[in-house]
Amino acid sequence: MSRRAPLVFIMAAGMGTRMKSDLPKVLHRIAGRPMLHWVVTAARAAGAGRMIAILGHKADTVKAALDASFGPGTVEVALQTEQRGTGHAVQCALPAVASEDDDRIVVILTGDAPLLASERIAELVTACEASPAGMALLSTVPPRPMPYGRLVRDAGGTLARIVEHTDATDEQRKIQDTNAGFYAIRLGALRKDLATLRADNAKGELYLTDLVAQAFARGGATAIDAPFTEVAGINDRVDLAAVELAARRTINETWMRAGVTMVDPASTYIDADVGPLGKDVWLAPNVALRGKTAIGDGARIEQGSVLSDVQVADHVYIKPYSILQDTVLGSRAEIGPFTHCRPGSRIDEDAKLGNFVETKKTHLMAGAKANHLAYLGDASVGAKANIGAGTITCNYDGVGKYQTTIEAGAFIGSDSQLVAPVTIGRDAYVGSGTTVTKDVPRGALALTRVKQVNVEGWADRFREANAKRKKTGEEH
Ligand code: UD1
Ligand code: CA
């Protein structure tokens, strides 16, 4: 395609009053991704050139979020300090494109309608290119009455103008075709027509939709019908939940078609930026995959597990109610039930973590095991080492964090404390109940227990004495 990439404006200056939130509306998340970022992502996928977000309410917060996700300045910002309508919003973006040619196409999107498909943006651009009036827009037929602008046509069916809901007569409100709020227009026409807008309407605003009447004089704008679910905007938290549900359904269907089994798709929560998920991945109910999580072929994740930014290799098995963040799991690793892998955990192939094991900045090498009740923080655990129940790396002295190194094949007996910094040598043993404060040499046994004493008959005598006391009603 030799045509030039369209300019993209994203209107997002509104207050979002009905969200009743401290967070700007367009930063509320759908499937883990701010709704404005969905719009930017779709525009990018449609081959957008310069993208300009029109911001007002909490503009600094919104700009910071855009910069953090897409790189500083990737999405440019035009400020609309006072919200005087959608026409005024677009006027505010014009100075930023002063150097662009009149025949450039501008796509105008809104930041609060996250499910618009990139194909629809491409269709808008194509229709605008073909339109003698140099304008195209998306229309939709809502499933229930909505306060949207109505598409008014002349006797021949040409789009004559848009009448806003508040300005519409009862007769006009019966029109099924409504304005979805997305447009493509030649920059030259946009410049000329915006300059003539007047706020002579019910809301006293400059309506972008008045541009449609001006396009009629040039032969009429082209309307493309879009499914309502794709163009639905978010005004309050009820809308937010409805769009979240629609997004989740689409995400889950996409992954199921790619070879992922979901026992109960309705309770499977996969964020927008998750992937890839391999063939024959199996997900039980109430599994949540968040952030940049990716999963290899044949991995199984049981009920209630939550993975955030986790790289899961092939054939890993995660048992119920395991919580993992920023973790890398090697092939065939087994995790859970009730395991907590905190950031910086790396669990290599065939390694195992069992119930109530917590790891943080810890590397378990191939085949190492910690099957029950352990805390492994700032530790490196060599291949095939065995960590007994109740082992704790004492990595923190209230000031600094220190490293524990457990070399390959070492055996750490149950209920041991490893006071870092400390190294347990290759194939060494740590006896149960030991508090290790010094390095253990390769192949040695470390033991800090006091010697066991057996007092013969003590328990029997103790019980007899107590029984006697009870009979005589004596207090102790
Ligand atoms: C708009 C359309 C309407 C359409 C509907 C679809 C106009 C006049 N009407 O109405 O035909 O059916 O969308 O959802 O355009 N915004 C700004 N600055 C402003 C005003 C709005 O940035 O001064 C932004 C808002 O943040 C929002 C978008 O523009 O993202 C749409 O504005 P909104 O006030 O919600 O327009 P509607 O009344 O819904
Ligand atoms: Ca709206």
Side-chain angles (χ1 to χ4, degrees), residues 10-16 18 25-26 54-55 80 82-89 109-112 147-150 162-165 178-181 183 203 205-209 231 233 235:
I10 305 172
M11 297 185 288
M15 290 274 291
R18 281 172 284 171
K25 175 167 82 174
V26 293
I54 301 157
L55 306 180
Q80 186 198 24
E82 207 187 331
Q83 279 78 60
R84 292 168 47 206
T86 49
H88 178 246
L109 310 172
T110 77
D112 61 359
Y148 282 10
R150 303 302 203 278
I162 290 175
V163 180
E164 287 304 306
H165 180 83
T178 67
N179 172 29
Y183 319 83
K203 284 192 177 170
E205 290 185 349
L206 296 179
Y207 289 163
L208 183 60
T209 46
V231 296
N235 290 315

Side-chain angles (χ1 to χ4, degrees), residues 12-98:
M15 290 274 291
T17 316
R18 281 172 284 171
M19 293 299 284
K20 304 202 167 123
S21 175
D22 289 336
L23 188 70
K25 175 167 82 174
V26 293
L27 294 187
H28 280 261
R29 286 165 190 268
I30 296 293
R33 185 199 274 166
M35 58 176 102
L36 179 57
H37 293 26
W38 281 80
V39 180
V40 173
T41 303
R44 263 190 166 176
R50 292 175 60 193
M51 291 181 277
I52 297 160
I54 301 157
L55 306 180
H57 177 67
K58 298 202 174 173
D60 291 346
T61 312
V62 179
K63 180 178 164 36
L66 287 169
D67 285 349
S69 295
F70 299 104
T74 301
V75 179
E76 300 168 50
V77 168
L79 282 179
Q80 186 198 24
T81 41
E82 207 187 331
Q83 279 78 60
R84 292 168 47 206
T86 49
H88 178 246
V90 176
Q91 282 177 351
C92 292
L94 286 183
V97 295

Side-chain angles (χ1 to χ4, degrees), residues 394 415-419 430-431 433-438 447-449:
C394 309
D415 195 25
S416 297
Q417 302 89 49
L418 312 177
V419 182
V430 171
T434 292
T435 301
V436 180
T437 52
K438 292 185 295 197
L447 207 57
T448 59
R449 293 192 300 240

Side-chain angles (χ1 to χ4, degrees), residues 169-371:
T169 62
D170 288 348
E171 207 51 41
Q172 286 168 332
R173 286 185 183 177
K174 286 182 191 147
I175 297 172
Q176 297 284 300
D177 280 341
T178 67
N179 172 29
F182 305 91
Y183 319 83
I185 183 167
R186 295 270 180 201
L187 183 54
L190 189 64
R191 283 178 173 138
K192 213 152 75 31
D193 296 350
L194 278 178
T196 67
L197 283 186
R198 292 173 46 205
D200 52 356
N201 52 54
K203 284 192 177 170
E205 290 185 349
L206 296 179
Y207 289 163
L208 183 60
T209 46
D210 285 350
L211 263 50
V212 173
Q214 287 159 303
F216 181 56
R218 301 191 298 268
T222 308
I224 305 168
D225 192 52
F228 179 77
T229 46
E230 223 184 82
V231 296
I234 295 172
N235 290 315
D236 60 23
R237 299 199 199 219
V238 176
D239 296 337
L240 185 74
V243 171
E244 172 83 31
L245 186 64
R248 183 156 78 239
R249 199 168 285 155
T250 306
I251 290 170
N252 287 358
E253 284 176 8
T254 303
W255 287 124
M256 286 188 280
R257 294 214 166 86
V260 173
T261 295
M262 295 178 196
V263 175
D264 180 22
S267 72
T268 303
Y269 306 85
I270 303 179
D271 277 359
D273 295 323
V274 164
L277 305 183
K279 200 158 31 96
D280 294 316
V281 165
W282 183 93
L283 304 175
N286 281 310
V287 165
L289 306 179
R290 297 179 181 158
K292 300 226 183 308
T293 293
I295 301 184
D297 292 349
R300 302 206 304 146
I301 305 182
E302 293 276 10
Q303 177 112 359
S305 291
V306 180
L307 280 63
S308 309
D309 301 311
V310 179
Q311 303 300 308
V312 180
D314 295 352
H315 302 291
V316 163
Y317 183 28
I318 300 177
K319 297 170 207 174
Y321 304 105
S322 296
I323 312 295
L324 296 84
Q325 299 154 267
D326 186 11
T327 287
V328 180
L329 303 179
S331 299
R332 297 173 306 277
E334 277 187 36
I335 307 293
F338 300 103
T339 299
H340 188 187
C341 290
R342 291 168 49 208
S345 297
R346 198 172 130 201
I347 314 301
D348 287 351
E349 61 270 18
D350 301 303
K352 282 189 189 178
L353 296 178
N355 42 213
F356 309 110
V357 172
E358 175 183 339
T359 61
K360 186 220 72 173
K361 282 192 189 155
T362 282
H363 182 188
L364 242 82
M365 293 174 213
K369 286 181 200 164
N371 275 332

